[in-house]
Amino acid sequence: QTCALPIYKKILLIAIAVLLFIAVVWSALAGGNPLNSFLVKQREQVRAKAKLTTLNHFIPSFENLTALIREKNRSSDPEALSPYIRYYRKVVEAIPNMADAHTVLGFCYYYSGQKQEALKHLRSSLEINAGSTIALYNLGLIFFELGEYKQSLKFAKRARSEEHTSE
C-alpha cells in the first residue's frame, strides 16, 4: 500500500523544502562562505578582463609611442603623448590595480614633462608591484632631474637589484 498524504501536508512539506533552499542560498550569498568569495573574485576578474578588452579597441599604436620617445625634441610637442595619457588614464580608472598601466602612464607623463603626475603613477605602480624595474628606473631619472640625488640613487640601486633578480 502507498501512504497517501493529505494535500495540505504535501504543500507544507514543499514549503519547508523551499524555505530551507532559500536559507541555504541566502547564507551562501551573505558572505563568509568560501564559495561566495570565490564567485565574487571570479566575477571581478571577468569584469576587469571585459573592461580591458573594450579598452584595447582604442589603444594607440606603440610604434608611434616609441618613435615619440626616441625623438630628441619631444618637448617641442607636449601634446604628442596626450592620446597615450588619455588611454592609460582610462585603463587605470577601469582597473586601478594594474601596475603596468600605472607604469606606462607615469612614463608618458614623464616624457611629456609632467614630472609630478609621473611620480604619482610610478609610485602607484610600485605599491602594486614593488619589483617593477621600469618604474624604479624612471623614478630614479625623475629624482635625478629634480636634484634629489639620494632618492635617485636609492631607486637606481633598487632597479639594478631587481634587474639582476629577474635574470
Side-chain angles (χ1 to χ4, degrees):
Q1 279 185 315
T2 61
C3 180
L5 289 174
I7 191 75
Y8 73 91
K9 285 188 178 180
K10 288 180 182 177
I11 293 173
L12 183 62
L13 287 174
I14 291 171
I16 291 171
V18 167
L19 287 174
L20 283 173
F21 176 76
I22 290 171
V24 168
V25 170
W26 185 267
S27 69
L29 296 176
N33 183 331
L35 177 61
N36 185 46
S37 300
F38 173 77
L39 292 174
V40 168
K41 186 176 180 180
Q42 288 293 99
R43 183 183 65 206
E44 291 306 315
Q45 288 175 345
V46 168
R47 282 183 179 166
K49 190 173 183 178
K51 287 177 185 176
L52 188 58
T53 301
T54 301
L55 286 168
N56 282 343
H57 291 290
F58 304 103
I59 191 169
S61 165
F62 274 103
E63 291 174 7
N64 294 340
L65 177 62
T66 54
L68 286 169
I69 300 304
R70 288 184 187 148
E71 287 180 19
K72 293 181 182 175
N73 293 326
R74 48 185 170 262
S75 60
S76 63
D77 185 13
E79 290 300 310
L81 289 168
S82 64
Y84 301 94
I85 291 172
R86 278 193 306 273
Y87 172 76
Y88 282 102
R89 273 199 329 236
K90 288 179 184 176
V91 173
V92 165
E93 287 171 14
I95 310 167
N97 63 342
M98 181 180 264
D100 291 342
H102 282 284
T103 300
V104 175
L105 184 55
F107 182 80
C108 290
Y109 275 129
Y110 169 69
Y111 280 102
S112 69
Q114 301 176 57
K115 291 182 182 128
Q116 293 306 315
E117 281 296 311
L119 286 172
K120 175 181 140 187
H121 286 285
L122 292 168
R123 284 180 174 147
S124 293
S125 175
L126 290 181
E127 287 175 14
I128 300 163
N129 176 11
S132 172
T133 306
I134 296 169
L136 290 165
Y137 173 80
N138 282 290
L139 280 166
L141 286 177
I142 293 169
F143 282 117
F144 185 84
E145 288 182 11
L146 294 174
E148 297 182 34
Y149 302 116
K150 286 183 182 179
Q151 282 286 84
S152 176
L153 185 59
K154 178 181 100 172
F155 284 108
K157 284 181 178 179
R158 279 183 61 195
R160 185 71 177 147
S161 172
E162 289 296 329
E163 186 178 68
H164 285 299
T165 58
S166 65
E167 289 178 351

